Amino acid sequence: MVNNQRISVPQRQSVLDALELAKAGKTAAEIREILEKEKFESSIYIMLETLEYLKKGGRITPAAAAVATVLHIRPVLQIQGEKLDAYAKTRSEKQGRAIMMDALKKDIDTRFGGMDQVRIYVAHTDREEEAKEFSQMIEAEWGVPVTYCDPLSLSVACHTGPGALGVGCAKRIDQYL
């Protein structure tokens, strides 16, 4: 068992990393140790279309959800390690994408040592076309490939609801191979 406190896209990468480590000859104990050591080496930003599901889950009050709905506020949330927190508020898709890209770029440069040290991901709930466009925008602007563009895991999607769009990264484990 590995408890590296990851969820969704970075959790998927942990599984793929474990397979690579096994192919490189690492034992199960060594793989567990590496994955747990690297557990906080990921970052996620998610823009929500609605606050309804955060309200239903008790993460925000009904009053806060109502105010945000009336004002057409779309929150950008972040997952750093083990907690989900508010990061920013936006009123437009374009601004939300820019906020997420700026935040992730800052994390990549300051926490992870640059673009060549991470894998980048885009995830969504029921927004496949927009997610593909977002991936292409990231690739064009940053000059690096998006590793994969997939639906959010159900463990996250049940909190975000439909229409969520996110971007994230996980640090490469190449030094262990």
Side-chain angles (χ1 to χ4, degrees), residues 4 24 29 31 35 38 43 55 60 65 86 96 121 135-136 166 169 171:
N4 69 347
I31 293 169
L35 294 179
E38 299 292 320
S43 184
K55 179 184 82 173
I60 62 168
Y121 318 102
S135 294
Q136 292 167 351
C169 73
K171 189 172 180 185

Side-chain angles (χ1 to χ4, degrees), residues 87 101-112 142:
Y87 179 76
M101 285 180 66
D102 290 346
L104 189 63
K105 177 86 166 73
K106 181 180 176 187
D107 287 349
I108 290 169
D109 292 342
T110 61
R111 288 181 53 209
F112 303 119
W142 291 350

Side-chain angles (χ1 to χ4, degrees), residues 41-158:
E41 300 299 326
S42 67
S43 184
I44 301 172
Y45 294 89
I46 307 169
M47 177 176 52
L48 306 185
E49 198 164 276
T50 178
L51 291 171
E52 184 65 24
Y53 295 84
L54 290 178
K55 179 184 82 173
K56 285 181 179 181
R59 294 187 178 268
I60 62 168
T61 66
V67 168
T69 300
V70 168
L71 297 175
H72 302 290
I73 293 172
R74 302 174 90 181
V76 175
L77 307 176
Q78 67 176 341
I79 302 174
Q80 302 289 334
E82 58 193 330
K83 56 186 172 169
L84 173 70
D85 284 322
Y87 179 76
K89 296 174 186 133
T90 182
R91 290 186 178 200
S92 76
E93 173 88 15
K94 183 177 180 180
Q95 183 184 31
R97 288 180 186 208
I99 287 168
M100 291 189 297
M101 285 180 66
D102 290 346
L104 189 63
K105 177 86 166 73
K106 181 180 176 187
D107 287 349
I108 290 169
D109 292 342
T110 61
R111 288 181 53 209
F112 303 119
M115 290 288 177
D116 61 334
Q117 299 299 309
V118 296
R119 287 184 168 76
I120 299 169
Y121 318 102
V122 171
H124 64 93
T125 51
D126 200 28
R127 296 190 68 188
E128 189 170 348
E129 288 305 313
E130 293 93 340
K132 286 179 182 177
E133 290 171 13
F134 192 33
S135 294
Q136 292 167 351
M137 186 173 88
I138 290 168
E139 289 174 350
E141 189 166 321
W142 291 350
V144 296
V146 169
T147 304
Y148 47 84
C149 176
D150 286 328
L152 279 167
S153 65
L154 294 178
S155 59
V156 174
C158 67

Side-chain angles (χ1 to χ4, degrees), residues 6-22:
R6 289 193 179 180
I7 191 166
S8 193
V9 178
Q11 179 63 32
R12 175 184 177 181
Q13 187 59 52
S14 292
V15 172
L16 297 174
D17 289 345
L19 291 171
E20 285 297 312
L21 291 165

